[in-house]
Amino acid sequence: MKEFQGRVVVPGRIAAEALVSHEGLNTLASFQKALQFGDKNATCGDQNNPDLYGKQMAGKALCLPQTIGSTTGGLVLYCACSMGRQPACMLFSKPIDSLAAAGTVLADVWLDDVNMPVIDSLGDEFLEYVKDGMNIVVQEGGKILVG
Amino acid sequence: MRSLEYKMKLTDEQKAILEHSKGETLAKVMESLVRYGELFGATEMVPISSKYNHLVTSFGLKALGPVYELMDKLLEAGAPSGQKFSVDPKPLDPNVPSSFAQDAIFKFFMYSRQKDYEKQLMQLGLLSDNAFTCTCYMDEVGNKPGYGEVLSWSESSAVVYANSVLGARCNRNSGIIDLMGSVIGYVPKFGLLTDEGRKADWIIEVKTTKKPEAQLLGSAIGMKVMEDVPYVKGLDQWLGTELDDEACTYLKDFGAATASNGAVGLYHIDKLTPEAVKFGEDLINPGAKTYVIDDAELERVYREYPVIWKNKNAQPKLCFMGCPHMSLQQLKDWTDKVEESLKKNGVEKVTVPTVFTAAPDVLEAFAKTPYADRLKATGVITSYICPLMYMNNPLSEKMPVITSSNKLRTYTSARYYTDEEILEQITAPGRSSGRKILLGRITGAVPAFHKLPNPLPRGIRKGGR
């Protein structure tokens, strides 16, 4: 397994299957329909994102550069966590953006029993290496194993 | 709760709040802001200096229940916003054409919490019943911060306008974080609140042969620079060097596209926006990358937009203009343009149901001008609605809707056209008229196309787009 080191945004350990977006995740466009219409798999609704559109995001190790778009992004992510439709973990190749930071921090501070480790600054090589379906292990201290 | 480690310098009062001096809820608010700021290397919490806040969450969307519960916690803790605030536009307006099926979904399913949420907003500190707009900085609305003021705003198009055109200082805050700032009265100092964070990493050279379409230029820049700050050269030849009404309107639409197609929170326009006028090219970081935009580049960007209608040749059934909300001058200019084009084409009324959206206060000011009756006579409807919220559901998503808003294109199935193309389409002769397409319920003075039929028109029923 290949190892990557990032910065811990929200601590935790988890193992999950990778789901990769090479473009920024538009949080509102991706999650809104799933939250609104009771889709427990959180199927991505962002038709402008060919990597994710139509794929299940809940329970996956979501690998992405950053999030983009509407400033509702953070609260949408917070709601996804509150409703149990969040990814298993979020792994950012770049430093986290302000919207994703808000959503993940709010979920960690205000919600009980939500375990969604968030690691950022994993580097461009991480996103070049990781592919859909690969096994991801998130360890303490921001270490990621991909294989 | 884990013990919180932080590096930023907090005042005694801030530390006390963090240590529960004002209760658990406010401690959590402070913890949220401190942890948020720490991620970006914030050095301290600085006081908010604007008179009003602006929030993004204006909709009582059933799916956002956890947000309303969190706001209830703030109210229960006796912690409303320390500032009055405006908020994004309402998601519903009976003036806007909709089918009975859409009405039912909007009212009883999607936005079933709208009334309750509006009550909650009033309790938290909403400025007034009219304070629902994404363009709170319009003179008619009055939430217009001054140069250098520190804000806790959200709404990407408003944040980028406040930073760039007004010279205020605000990060691209998320919903909830926006409110938490004004509950505490402080925001973490990082990014666009710092001199360093306002410097440009991109030089944009505009080399087009005509004035570029604001929404297209903004889209191209947003997609290229993402969250970075661009310094735009060459635009002053089209906009001039005065921030007059025309330039501000252009920059409103340009900025919204940079913020939604990318994640731009601040741009500088050479010789025009306040910091560019004051500091010039000193705002450009050494090693900044260059992006040249000419006619061919804009054409490439336009042609690469995905068209996600099933039937790409479908006749449009609705046109939305005003995302972000239109200015008073825009409403007047479009009245002239629509009238003129209808006359040229020998058509009495628009041939695609068309909605122009603007802030309630702007619409009230517009209603006092002679333009209002003239626009009404063309068949164009005015509304305070948020087109984005209207479009975000499976029924609306299947409608062939056209717009010149690149923000609406990005978040919904609406198809983008330039302003000129939109004008051609909505005033085109020989097209099935709105009345013909939409043989719906006719109620009172409401135009025939105000209500889409139920069941939906054949094309929509079959998903024929």
Side-chain angles (χ1 to χ4, degrees), chain B residues 28-44:
Chain B
K28 280 188 170 184
V29 170
M30 184 61 90
E31 183 187 347
S32 302
L33 290 169
V34 169
R35 280 188 57 184
Y36 171 61
E38 285 284 298
L39 287 171
F40 301 97
T43 50
E44 59 182 323

Side-chain angles (χ1 to χ4, degrees), chain A residues 47-63:
Chain A
Q47 301 176 74
N48 289 309
N49 188 330
D51 289 341
L52 295 186
Y53 180 58
K55 293 180 183 171
Q56 172 181 337
M57 297 184 292
K60 297 293 174 74
L62 189 54
C63 307

Side-chain angles (χ1 to χ4, degrees), chain A residues 66-82:
Chain A
Q66 60 182 160
T67 71
I68 59 170
S70 164
T71 51
T72 55
L75 65 90
V76 168
L77 200 51
Y78 172 80
C79 287
C81 292
S82 177

Side-chain angles (χ1 to χ4, degrees), chain A residues 1 8 22 34 67 71 73 81-82 84 87 93-94 105 113 115 127 135 143:
Chain A
M1 292 186 104
V8 177
H22 292 94
T67 71
T71 51
C81 292
S82 177
S93 61
K94 292 185 173 186
V105 165
D113 305 324
N115 175 32
L127 215 51
N135 293 319
K143 189 189 286 183

